[in-house]
Amino acid sequence: MTASSAGAGRPGESGTAKVRVGLVFGGRSTEHSVSCVSAASVLAAVDRDRYDVVAIGITQDGRWVLAADQPAALTSGSLPVVAGDLSQLVLAGDPTVTGLVSPGGGPGIPAVDVVFPLLHGPYGEDGTLQGLLELAGLPYVGSGVFASAAAMDKQHMKLVLAGHRLPVGPYEVVTPRQWEQDPRAVLRRLGERLSLPVFVKPARGGSSIGISKVTDAADLQEAVELARRYDPKVVVETMLAGREIECGVLEGPDGPQASLPSEIHLHPDHAFYDFEAKYLDEGTGFDIPAVLTAAETKAVQDMACAAFDALGCEGLARVDFFLGPDGLVVNEVNTMPGFTPASMFPRMWAASGVDYPTLVDRLLTSALNRRRGLR
């Protein structure tokens, strides 16, 4: 893979003015801290000769604030949070209002040229923030409203992928009404249609928060109740035997481009790739590139791009697979994958010849080109 960036007239070159970037992070989801660490990584890597950056934090209760443009301030503690005592800001969903305003009448922020919404999970990666940015007339990094919402909802993601003849594993959906009206009937249905072990997941969650691996039917009710703490709709999936393979996708001038795949190797203490294994456990291993045949690597890359197109993604995505005896199965599509130092997405692209600063520049350039009608 090359590190080329789509489009001409890159910011900061040939005397052009710097592009003003609004980096939005934090948010109301359970992935708040992951977003903060991702933002710190981007702040440290972005090319300051080309970009002026405005750090915009969203607190855990949804308050928008002007944060410090200092990576160290976003990584204090193992699980950092956006402080609530900073100057409050409001982004109006009105294209005639430029910039972010202060509700208290204080100084706001002048208009930004592009937004990098580095939020993970609900209220950021699920189409809600994307809808606000569309209303405000602001270009932004990443997928639009539909692709963001569909990819976040595991049920609808699987429906779209299956509709494009991409393989997904056996699963069942537990809606709020079904569970509230007759949980016993739901448990009976799950037992009849799915083989143990199963994974019980919040339908619209991320970073493996609220997920349980169930090997005994007696534990299924407790697992559903846990998942419902994070989302009233739950997806239950049959565990698939196979290797865990991931692949990064970037929007290119001629369509999506795939990175070299990676493979996750879990520490024996972890039953699955949970939050601790992803972000806190140094014992989790990985291979980049994954040890695959040339044909397997091409199959992963082709299917990752096909999933990207099927959902109508833009900018970037990470596609997760199981590679078993019967071939590839798509597990999930993440439209705003983690950007922490431990995250697989930037690591896969670094192994593919696109280093971190170039990756950030490419995403911002792609978003600006899309606004200009070049994509």
Side-chain angles (χ1 to χ4, degrees):
M1 293 293 163
T2 65
S4 61
S5 182
R10 296 172 70 186
E13 293 182 349
S14 302
T16 59
K18 291 184 183 181
V19 168
R20 192 172 175 84
V21 179
L23 181 66
V24 183
F25 60 92
R28 295 165 57 188
S29 84
T30 53
E31 298 176 84
H32 177 101
S33 295
V34 178
S35 175
C36 291
V37 180
S38 293
S41 301
V42 172
L43 285 174
V46 69
D47 187 344
R48 301 302 177 132
D49 290 333
R50 295 177 178 159
Y51 301 103
D52 284 327
V53 181
V54 179
I56 304 166
I58 301 179
T59 65
Q60 292 173 304
D61 62 0
R63 176 188 175 100
W64 289 48
V65 296
L66 178 60
D69 181 5
Q70 298 174 356
L74 302 179
T75 55
S76 58
S78 59
L79 294 175
V81 299
V82 175
D85 58 354
L86 303 173
S87 300
Q88 187 173 7
L89 299 168
V90 173
L91 174 63
D94 181 346
T96 67
V97 177
T98 60
L100 286 84
V101 299
S102 170
I109 295 177
V112 297
D113 299 301
V114 62
V115 174
F116 198 147
L118 201 55
L119 293 138
H120 309 304
Y123 308 109
E125 192 181 348
D126 60 353
T128 50
L129 179 62
Q130 288 74 15
L132 175 60
L133 295 173
E134 294 281 356
L135 288 171
L138 286 172
Y140 54 91
V141 170
S143 291
V145 175
F146 173 79
S148 298
M152 175 59 62
D153 188 308
K154 295 174 178 61
Q155 176 193 13
H156 293 291
M157 176 201 67
K158 293 175 187 294
L159 289 171
V160 171
L161 295 177
H164 284 78
R165 300 185 179 180
L166 295 172
V168 298
Y171 71 98
E172 289 289 322
V173 177
V174 181
T175 67
R177 182 183 303 154
Q178 290 168 347
W179 188 254
E180 291 160 6
Q181 290 183 348
D182 196 343
R184 290 184 179 179
V186 170
L187 294 173
R188 186 165 55 251
R189 167 168 61 91
L190 297 178
E192 292 171 351
R193 298 183 182 179
L194 299 176
S195 300
L196 292 173
V198 297
F199 286 102
V200 181
K201 304 178 178 181
R204 294 159 290 201
S207 288
S208 300
I209 296 172
I211 294 180
S212 302
K213 179 182 178 181
V214 177
T215 58
D216 187 331
D219 299 327
L220 196 52
Q221 180 171 350
E222 182 181 355
V224 173
E225 293 287 6
L226 173 63
R228 279 171 49 83
R229 295 178 196 172
Y230 300 95
D231 189 337
K233 184 166 77 167
V234 175
V235 169
V236 184
E237 304 170 346
T238 295
M239 178 179 170
L240 298 175
R243 301 161 64 183
E244 293 194 47
I245 306 294
E246 299 183 348
C247 188
V249 182
L250 283 175
E251 181 179 16
D254 300 313
Q257 300 173 350
S259 72
L260 291 171
S262 65
E263 179 174 5
I264 304 298
H265 298 288
L266 287 179
H267 190 278
D269 292 341
H270 293 281
F272 64 98
Y273 198 31
D274 58 9
F275 182 89
E276 183 178 351
K278 286 181 177 179
Y279 301 111
L280 304 178
D281 185 3
E282 296 181 356
T284 299
F286 56 88
D287 290 328
I288 303 177
V291 181
L292 302 169
T293 66
E296 288 171 335
T297 296
K298 186 176 187 306
V300 169
Q301 293 174 323
D302 288 348
M303 194 174 291
C305 291
F308 187 93
D309 277 340
L311 287 162
C313 296
E314 296 172 281
L316 74 163
R318 194 193 73 234
V319 185
D320 302 342
F321 300 93
F322 289 109
L323 175 59
D326 297 325
L328 284 169
V329 174
V330 181
N331 183 34
E332 292 190 12
V333 178
N334 296 270
T335 55
M336 187 52 70
F339 268 75
T340 73
S343 297
M344 300 305 294
F345 185 84
R347 287 183 174 186
M348 287 187 287
W349 278 108
S352 305
V354 182
D355 62 23
Y356 202 111
T358 304
L359 181 62
V360 172
D361 176 70
R362 181 165 171 173
L363 290 170
L364 291 169
T365 301
S366 176
L368 289 166
N369 284 346
R370 202 178 308 128
R371 178 191 63 176
R372 300 185 187 114
L374 298 178
R375 286 294 304 147

